[in-house]
Amino acid sequence: MDMNVILKRFDAPDEVRVFSKGRFELVTLGGMTIGRATYQPGWRWSVDVGAASGAASCHVEHVGMVVSGCATAAMDDGRVIEMRAGDIFYVPPGHDSWVVGDEPYVSLHFLGATDYAAKP
């Protein structure tokens, strides 16, 4: 049995996915991939991530926690929620999202990180 402790930091991620007004850093350990999303004011998923693939909405399921800032999750069925620092969220597939206000938005992703903003 492997009893080694593994420490990693987002300062030195295993992978970085960069797109307009944002970046998504990934760290893999213990069979899990965790992502850190950092979006600048004015970032919108459908414009800054989805447009490159022609997708109008994100089809990745997300479980995460907001570290700082504020963003919306606008579901395809019309529901819109705001997520703020300290919120732990579940967002099902079929949504758009954008930063609210003039502060960068940062969140950690515990589910969905592997597929988010991945190059086809």
Side-chain angles (χ1 to χ4, degrees):
M1 177 189 261
D2 187 0
M3 300 300 282
N4 291 328
V5 173
I6 300 170
L7 294 175
K8 291 190 174 183
R9 299 178 60 88
F10 282 110
D11 298 343
D14 296 317
E15 182 183 348
V16 179
R17 299 174 183 165
V18 178
F19 38 83
S20 177
K21 298 180 189 149
R23 62 191 284 124
F24 195 69
E25 299 152 310
L26 296 105
V27 171
T28 301
L29 72 165
M32 183 175 185
T33 299
I34 301 168
R36 179 173 70 177
T38 304
Y39 307 140
Q40 298 305 311
W43 175 89
R44 186 178 185 116
W45 186 90
S46 56
V47 174
D48 298 305
V49 178
S53 66
S57 62
C58 180
H59 295 288
V60 173
E61 179 178 38
H62 303 279
V63 171
M65 180 179 160
V66 181
V67 176
S68 61
C70 179
T72 62
M75 305 308 299
D76 289 349
D77 68 7
R79 289 174 294 147
V80 177
I81 61 161
E82 278 198 357
M83 302 173 292
R84 300 180 179 282
D87 288 343
I88 297 170
F89 58 83
Y90 169 76
V91 178
H95 59 273
D96 196 2
S97 184
W98 56 87
V99 172
V100 175
D102 58 4
E103 179 184 343
Y105 171 83
V106 179
S107 58
L108 299 177
H109 294 246
F110 306 109
L111 178 67
T114 303
D115 297 327
Y116 182 75
K119 300 286 186 227

